[in-house]
Amino acid sequence: MSRTKAFLMTMRPRQWVKNLLVVTAPLAAGALGDPGVAVRTGLAFVAFCAGSSAVYALNDASDMETDRLHPTKRHRPIASGALSATEGRLLALGLAALALVVGALASWSFVVLLASYLLLQVAYTYRLKHEPVLDIVVVSSGFLLRAVAGGLAADIAISPWFLLVAGFGSLFIVSGKRYSELHTLGSEAGTRRSLVRYTPTYLRFVWSMAAAGTAMSYSLWAFEMDDRTAVAWHAISIAPFVIGLLRYAVDIDAGTAAEPEDIVYADRSLQLIGVVWLVLFALGVLGG
């Protein structure tokens, strides 16, 4: 493996799809057509890509020994020895600095949020990842901060219902990820200490509750948005949104949702549902 490829793999560009959450607030507000908003949102997206890659590099350097016990993580560049832990930490530092510089071009309030995200992830890497419940909350908050970041960067007010959708949706995905890890590896695999304190029934309760909260919050947000439009496109979009949740829940229940981005890239049915939802969502935005 070349060193360039090793550094790129450590940055995990496949997972940058998660940072599209930055775009959701300006998109939902119908403001992306404004050149200024589009530029600031784009800068926020790039900054979060660099920042999240910095977190991945730091996490890989910290978890080098435990990753070597994992059936797939052992192939990561730092765990496999293609890169040293020191090189991983230096990469993380450089990417974090780049993220803050790019973020400053969007807005200073966004920089404060991004810095908070990075500090929270450092705490997660060295301590909070080993604490049951807190590990799920911190990872979920990362998704929520992405959703808030788009509004801050573009200076757009965000609906409280939208934030609840992002919060519950994040909890649904992260608790489903932990459920799949427990289902696949078991609590004694030594790859994640917090799994020892979880049971399948508890995690099933969490992701079921989060799914219900996500569906309810999205419905309330959709009804709120349709008060401003002639056709209730947002309300119609509730159907594919809930169907998408149910489809994703099939993967969680089967224990195959340990890597959410793999499901997004591979599940053609989920992609089709997503396209239908996106069309209806776009019609709602344009109708507003």
Side-chain angles (χ1 to χ4, degrees):
M1 182 188 301
S2 68
R3 295 183 66 76
T4 300
K5 183 179 179 181
F7 279 115
L8 186 60
M9 286 181 63
T10 303
M11 291 169 63
R12 309 232 253 290
R14 278 174 59 86
Q15 299 206 24
W16 288 349
V17 66
K18 299 173 183 176
N19 298 315
L20 287 174
L21 276 170
V22 171
V23 182
T24 53
L27 179 63
L32 274 181
D34 183 298
V37 170
V39 169
R40 291 194 298 274
T41 303
L43 289 170
F45 173 76
V46 172
F48 253 101
C49 286
S52 60
S53 289
V55 173
Y56 297 140
L58 182 64
N59 193 64
D60 284 0
S62 172
D63 286 355
M64 179 176 62
E65 297 300 330
T66 55
D67 281 354
R68 288 172 178 166
L69 303 174
H70 194 280
T72 57
K73 293 181 181 180
R74 63 184 180 182
H75 300 300
R76 290 176 177 174
I78 296 177
S80 66
L83 292 178
S84 68
T86 299
E87 288 174 317
R89 294 187 182 97
L90 289 174
L91 175 63
L93 185 61
L95 288 170
L98 175 63
L100 292 172
V101 170
V102 173
L105 298 176
S107 76
W108 285 107
S109 57
F110 171 77
V111 172
V112 172
L113 181 143
L114 181 59
S116 300
Y117 164 80
L118 292 172
L119 290 173
L120 187 61
Q121 296 306 313
V122 170
Y124 171 82
T125 296
Y126 288 108
R127 176 63 185 177
L128 298 181
K129 70 165 65 175
H130 305 305
E131 298 295 331
V133 180
L134 290 182
D135 71 315
I136 292 178
V137 170
V138 172
V139 177
S140 299
S141 70
F143 289 95
L144 180 59
L145 288 174
R146 285 171 170 87
V148 175
L152 282 180
D155 194 23
I156 293 173
I158 303 176
S159 163
W161 296 121
F162 177 86
L163 293 179
L164 283 175
V165 174
F168 278 119
S170 303
L171 184 61
F172 172 63
I173 291 173
V174 176
S175 57
K177 176 181 172 70
R178 290 291 181 271
Y179 179 87
S180 293
E181 290 172 340
L182 188 61
H183 183 277
T184 304
L185 301 171
S187 61
E188 304 298 332
T191 60
R192 193 181 294 278
R193 281 161 48 187
S194 63
L195 287 180
V196 176
R197 301 282 298 279
Y198 290 134
T199 63
T201 51
Y202 173 75
L203 290 173
R204 182 185 292 275
F205 159 74
V206 175
W207 65 258
S208 299
M209 177 191 68
T214 304
M216 181 61 70
S217 301
Y218 183 85
S219 299
L220 291 170
W221 173 80
F223 295 142
E224 177 186 64
M225 295 300 293
D226 280 339
D227 286 341
R228 314 168 193 173
T229 60
V231 181
W233 291 115
H234 288 99
I236 297 171
S237 76
I238 293 172
F241 184 86
V242 173
I243 292 170
L245 284 177
L246 294 174
R247 174 72 185 193
Y248 192 86
V250 170
D251 294 308
I252 294 177
D253 195 51
T256 59
E259 299 296 338
E261 65 278 2
D262 289 344
I263 296 174
V264 173
Y265 288 125
D267 191 329
R268 295 290 179 263
S269 296
L270 187 60
Q271 290 171 4
L272 178 60
I273 295 167
V275 169
V276 172
W277 169 80
L278 186 59
V279 169
L280 294 172
F281 182 86
L283 288 172
V285 171
L286 294 174

